[in-house]
Amino acid sequence: MRALSYGLGQQYFEERDYRGAIRALKPVVDETPDDVGTRLLLARAYYHAALLKPAEEHLLEVIEREPTEYYAHLMLARTLERLSRRDEAGKYRRIAAALTGDDELLDGHTI
C-alpha cells in the first residue's frame, strides 16, 4: 500500500497536481517518518501548493534527519523568502552553497 501511495503521489506531483500529491504522500510520511525522500517530496508539494508553513515544518524535519541534504536547505530558504523571512533564509542558502560548493545558490534566484 505504501509503495502504491508513494507512486501515486509522485505521479500527481509530476502532473502538477500538488494537492493530490499531498493527499497521497501524507499517509506515507505519517507511517514512515524517517523516510527522508518521501518527506522531501511532500514538502515540495506543499511548497508548490503555496502551503508554506507545512512545507517549512517538513523541510526542517528533513534537515534534522539528513543535515547534508542540500536541496532541503535550498527549498527551506526559498520557503522562508516567500514568507518574507529573508534574514532566516540567508542562513539556509549559505548552507546549501557550502554543501554544494555552488556560490550561485547565494543569489536568491535559484530553486
Side-chain angles (χ1 to χ4, degrees):
M1 184 70 167
R2 189 177 337 151
L4 178 63
S5 291
Y6 177 80
L8 191 58
Q10 195 169 33
Q11 181 180 341
Y12 282 136
F13 187 88
E14 289 169 5
E15 293 171 355
R16 297 183 178 181
D17 178 357
Y18 301 117
R19 291 182 186 261
I22 291 165
R23 284 190 303 276
L25 294 169
K26 190 167 180 339
V28 178
V29 169
D30 290 344
E31 187 178 323
T32 57
D34 292 333
D35 183 346
V36 171
T38 303
R39 188 179 291 275
L40 183 56
L41 184 58
L42 177 60
R44 291 175 64 201
Y46 277 123
Y47 173 85
H48 288 294
L51 298 168
L52 302 177
K53 284 306 284 181
E56 177 186 4
E57 292 166 11
H58 284 283
L59 289 164
L60 287 168
E61 282 288 327
V62 168
I63 290 168
E64 182 178 314
R65 296 174 195 290
E66 191 66 49
T68 59
E69 177 55 64
Y70 93 92
Y71 194 70
H73 288 278
L74 184 58
M75 285 286 308
L76 182 55
R78 188 65 190 113
T79 300
L80 293 170
E81 289 164 357
R82 286 180 70 184
L83 288 166
S84 299
R85 293 163 52 195
R86 294 192 71 72
D87 290 344
E88 290 175 71
K91 168 187 171 183
Y92 293 100
R93 280 197 177 276
R94 287 189 297 278
I95 293 170
L99 289 170
T100 63
D102 184 355
D103 287 343
E104 289 185 21
L105 296 179
L106 296 171
D107 70 11
H109 300 292
T110 308
I111 186 113

